[in-house]
Amino acid sequence: MTRFATMPISSLALFAMIYAGVVASPGPGIAALVARVITSGSRGIAGFVLGKILGDLTWFAIAAGGFALLAQAAAPIFLALKVAGILYLVYLAWKTWTASVDAPAIATTSR
């Protein structure tokens, strides 16, 4: 029988508060809502907002339940992934820092 570690309620509460702040902040979902209102008016907004809320709650449930256990079970893999990400970002920073800077061509227009 496999026994999973449980997350303390204080950690879950902290995670929920941070996640609520991220969800409440403007992002691509709000931009999509604004674009929908601009193009279609107020028709269908309730369904759009309900779908966004249900999607956010679904992702929250997956993140709170599954990914915490997965992260604990596969900690060395996640550490290796973090290190690979760090090395890739350092590589990109180095390439950007050492890239040559060419002056942009000035467009000439005749009147």
Side-chain angles (χ1 to χ4, degrees), residues 11-47:
S11 296
L12 183 60
L14 178 64
F15 176 77
M17 286 188 301
I18 292 171
Y19 189 78
V22 169
V23 169
S25 66
I30 301 300
L33 179 63
V34 169
R36 184 174 179 103
V37 169
I38 289 172
T39 58
S40 303
S42 61
R43 250 183 14 252
I45 292 176

Side-chain angles (χ1 to χ4, degrees), residues 4-92:
F4 290 105
T6 58
M7 181 184 294
I9 193 70
S10 60
S11 296
L12 183 60
L14 178 64
F15 176 77
M17 286 188 301
I18 292 171
Y19 189 78
V22 169
V23 169
S25 66
I30 301 300
L33 179 63
V34 169
R36 184 174 179 103
V37 169
I38 289 172
T39 58
S40 303
S42 61
R43 250 183 14 252
I45 292 176
F48 186 88
V49 170
L50 180 63
K52 180 171 176 9
I53 290 170
L54 287 176
D56 285 343
L57 289 174
T58 302
W59 279 112
F60 173 73
I62 291 170
F67 286 141
L69 293 175
L70 182 64
Q72 285 179 345
I77 295 171
F78 282 109
L79 179 63
L81 189 61
K82 284 181 190 179
V83 170
I86 291 168
L87 292 175
Y88 180 65
L89 288 174
V90 168
Y91 167 76
L92 289 178

